[in-house]
Amino acid sequence: MGTLYYGDVATPIEIEDRALAHVKVVIATKLRRGESFTLSWTHGPGQEVGRSTVWLHPSIPLRFVFDDPEPALLSRAWIEELANSANSSGGLLLVPEPGGEVPKT
């Protein structure tokens, strides 16, 4: 299980390593361009039922931590799907990998 630390939020965001690797590519691309946007996800097992959204801005500190020491092989199709959602008015939504399961958060 990977972890996303954003700003001074007390509770880090836990996302499965493979999903986090893909989200990282999309987030880094948008922030490198100076673009702000939202990131939304549904809460996983063991968490309060519901969903959360954070506003991502280039000036706010961000750190990705992966449990697996080896980088995940990336799926171009998944990155494109995540990027399309990030470029929409709804912002980046953690969606299932095409042909895969819903990412665990």
Side-chain angles (χ1 to χ4, degrees):
M1 184 64 66
T3 308
L4 175 63
Y5 295 92
Y6 185 65
D8 61 358
V9 175
T11 306
I13 304 163
E14 292 185 341
I15 302 174
E16 185 272 326
D17 269 9
R18 180 164 173 74
L20 185 59
H22 287 77
V23 166
K24 180 185 103 172
V25 170
V26 174
I27 290 173
T29 300
K30 289 194 66 70
L31 294 180
R32 188 179 319 112
R33 294 177 184 157
E35 299 174 12
S36 300
F37 58 101
T38 59
L39 166 64
S40 300
W41 66 96
T42 56
H43 299 168
Q47 297 177 340
E48 185 177 323
V49 174
R51 59 188 167 87
S52 293
T53 299
V54 293
W55 177 253
L56 297 172
H57 187 275
S59 68
I60 300 173
L62 179 66
R63 182 166 58 113
F64 300 88
V65 177
F66 299 89
D67 284 345
D68 190 345
E70 296 299 320
L73 294 175
L74 299 176
S75 161
R76 179 180 297 273
W78 199 5
I79 290 172
E80 288 174 358
E81 192 167 332
L82 291 167
N84 286 339
S85 75
N87 291 326
S88 73
S89 60
L92 176 53
L93 178 61
L94 187 54
V95 297
E97 181 171 4
E101 295 182 15
V102 176
K104 295 178 182 123
T105 58

